[in-house]
């Protein structure tokens, strides 16, 4: 039996659960039609990137210079991986990460990643939305406010990162991630999402994707930690619970994982996610 898990990011609410369901349906359809786990996670994450409510692809947050810079990655149980960081001007960064996976490199960033995207057929695209511009204005207003905790700051923003993990009928597994970053970020900042071992990890024992505050996830090398638990034979739900459990509630984190024994999903905040089997 094949399995797929998708999430809309740490902090995402039930309001976007239909987005998770749409991504799940699209990814399961790939598996149903004989596509493999890699194709399924790419399809699911692409659907989430195209959903303007998500902080990935179209709808990505803006950095403090008012620009979209996106991170994305993909990795599979054969150890193949591809990642992009601080990538601008494309519609689906996860598909650019997939192209990087076909090269001898693992991770392309900034101008070089943009050039690579153009050379591999990704046209110029403006991923900034009016909603993202309004969110940046709210963040800047909050920063200016001596009081903080203003009405604007109480409005929930989009989640941190979207992601998917899948195992197909042949036992092949893959994970994929995509994000517009965190709400206050300098130009050039790259979070955990494209960092192999931090925001993503996969190998023969399973596939893991993380969401949350990138700097903390990188420090913890979180996805590799969770993967190592799978390698020890731990149930993926327990592995995710233990991964999340090491973070205090002030550091929002979420995890999804698949293994031959099943799947897991855990968070210490809100996270819209869905799983399904075919
Ligand atoms: N997890 C998303 C980021 O920190 O960029």
């Amino acid at each position: 039996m094949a399995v797929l898990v998708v999430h809309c990011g740490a902090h995402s609410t039930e309001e976007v659960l239909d987005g998770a369901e749409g991504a799940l349906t699209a990814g399961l359809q790939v598996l149903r039609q004989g596509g493999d786990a890699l194709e399924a996670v790419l399809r699911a994450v692409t659907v989430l990137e195209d959903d303007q409510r998500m902080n990935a692809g179209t709808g990505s947050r803006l950095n403090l210079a008012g620009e979209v810079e996106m991170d994305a990655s993909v990795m599979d149980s054969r150890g193949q991986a591809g990642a992009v960081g601080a990538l601008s001007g494309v519609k689906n960064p996860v598909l650019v990460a997939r192209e990087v996976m076909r090269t001898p490199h693992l991770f392309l960033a900034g101008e070089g990643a943009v050039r690579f995207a153009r050379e591999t057929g990704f046209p110029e695209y403006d991923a900034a939305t009016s909603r993202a511009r309004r969110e940046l204005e709210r963040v800047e207003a909050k920063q200016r406010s001596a009081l903080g905790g203003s009405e604007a700051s109480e409005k929930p923003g989009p989640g941190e990162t979207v992601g998917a993990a899948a195992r197909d009928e042949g036992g092949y597994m893959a994970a994929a991630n995509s994000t517009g970053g965190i709400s206050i970020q300098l130009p050039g900042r790259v979070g955990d999402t494209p960092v192999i071992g931090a925001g993503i990890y996969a190998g023969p024992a399973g596939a893991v994707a993380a969401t949350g505050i990138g700097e903390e996830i990188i420090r913890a090398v979180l996805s590799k930690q969770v993967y190592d638990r799978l390698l020890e034979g731990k149930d993926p739900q327990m592995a995710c619970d233990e991964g999340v459990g090491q973070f205090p509630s002030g550091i929002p984190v979420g995890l999804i994982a698949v293994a031959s024994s099943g799947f897991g999903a855990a968070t210490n905040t809100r996270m819209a996610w869905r799983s399904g089997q075919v």
Side-chain angles (χ1 to χ4, degrees), residues 2 4 24 45 58 63 69 144 179 196 204 217 258:
L4 173 66
L24 180 73
V45 171
T58 308
N63 64 26
E69 288 186 327
R144 282 193 299 271
T179 188
I196 308 300
I217 293 171
V258 296

Side-chain angles (χ1 to χ4, degrees), residues 50-68:
D50 291 345
D51 185 330
Q52 298 199 8
R53 299 170 298 171
M54 308 297 165
N55 175 29
T58 308
S60 285
R61 288 195 172 111
L62 306 183
N63 64 26
L64 289 174
E67 306 152 343
V68 170

Side-chain angles (χ1 to χ4, degrees), residues 67-70 84-90 96 107-120 124 187-188 190:
E67 306 152 343
V68 170
E69 288 186 327
M70 301 168 286
V84 288
L87 174 64
S88 57
V90 302
V96 185
F107 190 171
L108 295 179
E111 276 304 308
V114 175
R115 203 174 311 138
F116 173 79
R118 298 287 174 263
E119 284 166 5
T120 49
E124 177 81 37
V190 173

